[in-house]
Amino acid sequence: IRQEADGNSNGNLVQMNLPLTFEDATVDYGLIGFDGAELSTIVNDPTSPDNKVAKVIKSASASATAGTAITTAEQLGFATSIPFDVINTKLSLRVWSPNAGIKVRIRLEEHDNALHAVETEVKTTGANRWQTLVFDFAKEVEGTSPLNFNYHYDKAIIYFNYGVDGATAGQKTYY
């Protein structure tokens, strides 16, 4: 999904970067859902209509690994790499989930080399409300690659209710 620029005289959109807000009409925001999360769009915040947010619908037929890539249609990711170092290994994300206790996983990778990746996850603590989750990429998910400071992570993929398929959970909407 691409957000069109309003009032941008040359029609060119700039590549998205962190911090990500979905608010700037001159930025090429993109969400690409897969495996049952194809209904991933940028919408008005349901609790504060003046705010833009990503909306992910994980369908009743979604796989346990359905997710949404935060990248442009061209799969370019962010304009710059996430600046990780030995002290700075965390990212925060505001999320809204209909259920507490679900796993939210984030995978970071190089947009042109998916083998250069790191994954971590946390659980939601509340239901039907916004909360800030902090993801520490120095604590990778067991069985996945560790954080590598030589990689240039510039693409993010988010998985809501990771490991649970749509047949078990039913259709759910996350922000």
Side-chain angles (χ1 to χ4, degrees):
I1 304 299
R2 299 181 81 174
Q3 182 180 20
E4 296 298 321
D6 294 326
N8 187 341
S9 61
N10 64 10
N12 293 328
L13 299 177
V14 296
Q15 194 170 350
M16 72 180 123
N17 216 353
L18 295 178
L20 195 57
T21 66
F22 302 114
E23 298 294 329
D24 189 339
T26 66
V27 174
D28 187 11
Y29 299 111
L31 304 173
I32 301 173
F34 56 89
D35 293 344
E38 285 81 8
L39 294 176
S40 297
T41 56
I42 298 169
V43 300
N44 290 332
D45 180 336
T47 63
S48 178
D50 293 336
N51 187 34
K52 297 271 189 211
V53 298
K55 176 181 180 180
V56 176
I57 298 174
K58 190 170 175 180
S59 72
S61 60
S63 77
T65 57
T68 301
I70 302 169
T71 188
T72 62
E74 296 81 15
Q75 301 275 343
L76 297 176
F78 304 122
T80 60
S81 301
I82 298 168
F84 286 132
D85 59 39
V86 294
I87 296 170
N88 301 296
T89 61
K90 299 176 182 177
L91 291 177
S92 64
L93 179 69
R94 287 192 62 227
V95 302
W96 185 99
S97 169
N99 303 99
I102 66 151
K103 291 180 190 176
V104 179
R105 181 177 288 202
I106 294 183
R107 174 185 172 93
L108 300 177
E109 59 187 46
E110 292 181 350
H111 78 275
D112 58 355
N113 187 348
L115 297 177
H116 289 183
V118 62
E119 299 178 29
T120 194
E121 64 189 22
V122 297
K123 288 186 177 182
T124 58
T125 57
N128 298 314
R129 66 177 176 85
W130 286 103
Q131 61 188 299
T132 299
L133 301 179
V134 177
F135 297 83
D136 187 350
F137 288 90
K139 297 178 181 176
E140 72 276 356
V141 173
E142 186 175 334
T144 66
S145 299
L147 181 62
N148 185 322
F149 299 117
N150 294 315
Y151 292 169
H152 302 284
Y153 304 110
D154 61 358
K155 180 180 173 184
I157 303 167
I158 188 165
Y159 305 89
F160 287 105
N161 207 7
Y162 186 84
V164 179
D165 63 23
T168 302
Q171 180 172 299
K172 301 283 183 171
T173 300
Y174 304 93
Y175 297 91

